[in-house]
Amino acid sequence: MTRLVLITGASAGIGEEFARQYAARGWDVAMTARRADRLSALARELEDRHKINTLSIAHDLATDGAVDAILAEIAAAGRHVDGLVNNAGYGLPGTFFNTSWPDQAAFLQVLLTAPLELAHKLLPGMADRGYGRIINVASLAGFTPGANGHTLYGPVKAALIKFSESIQAEAEAAGRNINCTALCPGFTYSEFHDVNGTRAQTEEMPKWLWMQAEPVVEAGIEAVERGRPVVVPGGVNKGLATLTKLMPDPIARGLMRQQSSRFRKTEV
Ligand SMILES: NC(=O)c1ccc[n+]([C@@H]2O[C@H](COP(=O)([O-])OP(=O)(O)OC[C@H]3O[C@@H](n4cnc5c(N)ncnc54)[C@H](OP(=O)(O)O)[C@@H]3O)[C@@H](O)[C@H]2O)c1
């Protein structure tokens, strides 16, 4: 049977590009996000262009039981998941003090708990079948010091990086042909900065800091195929990631404090 990849946040940006690239490689694609109309339109386009099968599953990952409902729809279609791309995400503007706990809890649910739950529920089947690919879309922010604003974004992305390293190590030890990669993009053209209200600020950032979604996704798929637990796409982003590691912590923290107003919002 043709392999099936489940992609969260496939209605826009990096997730949509994952759907396009997996479909072009001949994979069937199960796509989830809240905007059903976007998913259906993309599904029709990919089916026509690549003669693949798709599943469009509209759900809000912040709601209780969303992961089980998504997996139930896939099972009801008689399919199992060979690849998982944990991609859905957003930035929550504001500081920790001026945001509500329900908003922070929903953020943790969408960006951390749901990805971990999906991986936990899909890994046993992948191990039984002797094949699995998991890409967790993290961020350069997982390497840099905490910033003023969007407080939990960096911590959540750092957790996804460490989690991917662990899963890759555990899968290698088990010898079940399961690979897991944290994809760590820098600034990438998508709807991300429109949704979190930082578009006007980030438009001022130099163009050389930005990447299109296409090479970002290519780097993620290539890395997971090679069994690389972490990948930073693009030369500039690789340079920034290396610099962050080499820089003494106080200097990195000072730089982040000075620069974060260019891409974070502290007011809600
Ligand atoms: N763009 C960047 O500069 C950048 C840099 C580093 C990392 N990233 C990461 O890349 C990933 C994708 O972001 P993007 O840049 O492609 O942003 P995007 O264009 O805004 O796409 C975000 C996707 O996540 C989905 N999503 C958001 N909240 C959701 C929810 N509650 N339930 C289900 N789906 C939800 C959205 O779909 P619906 O609105 O239809 O639900 C959309 O498909 C994120 O994890 C982000 O942190 C982005």
Side-chain angles (χ1 to χ4, degrees):
M1 195 183 260
T2 307
R3 295 207 188 283
L4 177 76
V5 61
L6 168 62
I7 301 166
T8 69
S11 62
I14 295 171
E16 178 182 336
E17 181 60 26
F18 265 111
R20 292 184 184 287
Q21 292 197 23
Y22 269 110
R25 286 166 176 254
W27 285 55
D28 290 340
V29 182
M31 300 181 285
T32 185
R34 289 166 300 183
R35 287 171 289 179
D37 52 339
R38 292 266 197 120
L39 295 178
S40 313
L42 180 59
R44 278 195 300 276
E45 182 195 325
L46 297 180
E47 284 177 7
D48 288 349
R49 183 176 298 174
H50 300 292
K51 309 299 171 220
I52 57 146
N53 296 305
T54 66
L55 292 169
S56 299
I57 308 168
H59 271 291
D60 183 344
L61 282 174
T63 56
D64 279 348
V67 164
D68 283 338
I70 291 165
L71 297 181
E73 285 197 41
I74 294 172
R79 301 300 304 265
H80 61 253
V81 175
D82 303 291
L84 167 66
V85 181
N86 276 318
N87 163 80
Y90 58 96
L92 184 61
T95 64
F96 204 57
F97 298 108
N98 67 13
T99 45
S100 73
W101 179 247
D103 283 349
Q104 294 290 356
F107 178 85
L108 287 173
Q109 173 65 31
V110 175
L111 277 92
L112 189 59
T113 306
L116 302 186
E117 188 181 350
L118 278 167
H120 194 263
K121 289 181 169 167
L122 290 173
L123 274 164
M126 291 176 173
D128 283 350
R129 292 183 296 273
Y131 184 90
R133 298 290 182 263
I134 298 178
I135 298 174
N136 295 310
V137 182
S139 169
L140 266 192
F143 301 117
T144 55
N148 178 9
H150 305 209
T151 326
L152 292 181
Y153 189 78
V156 154
K157 296 304 191 182
L160 284 179
I161 293 169
K162 301 292 180 202
F163 172 66
S164 304
E165 289 172 338
S166 280
I167 295 300
Q168 181 63 34
E170 290 172 8
E172 264 174 42
R176 302 301 297 156
N177 190 19
I178 293 171
N179 290 344
C180 182
T181 294
L183 170 63
C184 306
F187 293 107
T188 307
Y189 292 110
S190 73
E191 296 176 8
F192 185 84
H193 299 93
D194 305 303
V195 175
N196 72 19
T198 58
R199 177 61 66 203
Q201 285 156 271
T202 54
E203 293 256 295
E204 306 290 318
M205 311 282 292
K207 293 282 172 274
W208 51 264
L209 275 175
W210 289 81
M211 284 181 77
Q212 300 290 343
E214 195 178 336
V216 169
V217 167
E218 274 167 13
I221 296 177
E222 193 191 312
V224 82
E225 285 310 317
R226 290 187 179 186
R228 290 176 58 196
V230 182
V231 65
V232 177
V236 170
N237 290 333
K238 280 188 176 63
L240 289 172
T242 307
L243 207 62
T244 307
K245 281 185 183 160
L246 297 178
M247 216 179 259
D249 287 350
I251 296 179
R253 280 197 287 268
L255 255 180
M256 182 54 93
R257 248 182 242 142
Q258 187 195 55
Q259 293 294 321
S260 56
S261 62
R262 299 177 76 183
F263 50 89
R264 297 277 197 259
K265 266 178 83 173
T266 50
E267 73 281 12
V268 184

